[in-house]
Amino acid sequence: MTIPYNKLVRDFIPQIIEESGKSALTRTLNDDEYLDKLEEKLQEEVAEYLESGSPEELCDILEVVEALFAARKVPMQLALSIKDAKRKKHGAFEERVLLMEVSDSME
């Protein structure tokens, strides 16, 4: 029985499949395909986290985000600097602020 997946997997997954006695057909994605599949993987991992609330799923999201930065040739140090600048300018989410509404001051 053959099961189609057509999804991006971690590097060692084909080897793990082979070691289990099964056969895995793979190919290497080009740059555009890789970005598309990383974005699909991000959506998949976010959905899995939202369903489970698992810290392991959060780590999977982080892994995909780091891969997206690398694929877009944005060094993690630069990404973290951008994140820190936004935090400095707009804050973080530590105070749990829920914006209820905004009214025009002319009312």
Side-chain angles (χ1 to χ4, degrees):
M1 178 172 72
T2 300
I3 301 171
Y5 283 93
N6 293 313
K7 69 180 203 172
L8 184 65
V9 295
R10 290 177 179 260
D11 298 337
F12 300 155
I13 297 300
Q15 178 183 343
I16 292 168
I17 292 168
E18 297 284 337
E19 289 171 355
S20 78
K22 297 179 181 176
S23 176
L25 178 64
T26 65
R27 72 178 179 86
T28 302
L29 300 170
N30 68 37
D31 291 346
D32 289 337
E33 291 173 319
Y34 182 52
L35 282 171
D36 287 345
K37 291 298 183 181
L38 277 170
E39 290 171 356
E40 285 178 22
K41 180 59 80 172
L42 180 60
Q43 291 176 331
E44 174 189 330
E45 298 299 347
V46 167
E48 289 174 3
Y49 167 71
L50 292 174
E51 185 174 313
S52 71
S54 161
E56 186 174 314
E57 294 300 340
L58 273 177
C59 291
D60 289 344
I61 293 168
L62 184 57
E63 188 75 36
V64 174
V65 168
E66 288 177 350
L68 277 164
F69 278 117
R72 294 195 178 276
K73 304 200 179 0
V74 177
M76 279 308 297
Q77 188 170 1
L78 175 59
L80 293 173
S81 293
I82 294 168
K83 179 189 80 74
D84 289 343
K86 284 192 86 166
R87 175 178 254 206
K88 186 176 251 184
K89 183 174 181 180
H90 298 284
F93 298 98
E94 295 168 354
E95 295 182 21
R96 303 176 184 193
V97 176
L98 176 67
L99 180 63
M100 301 293 294
E101 63 182 39
V102 175
S103 297
D104 189 323
S105 61
M106 299 292 218
E107 287 185 11

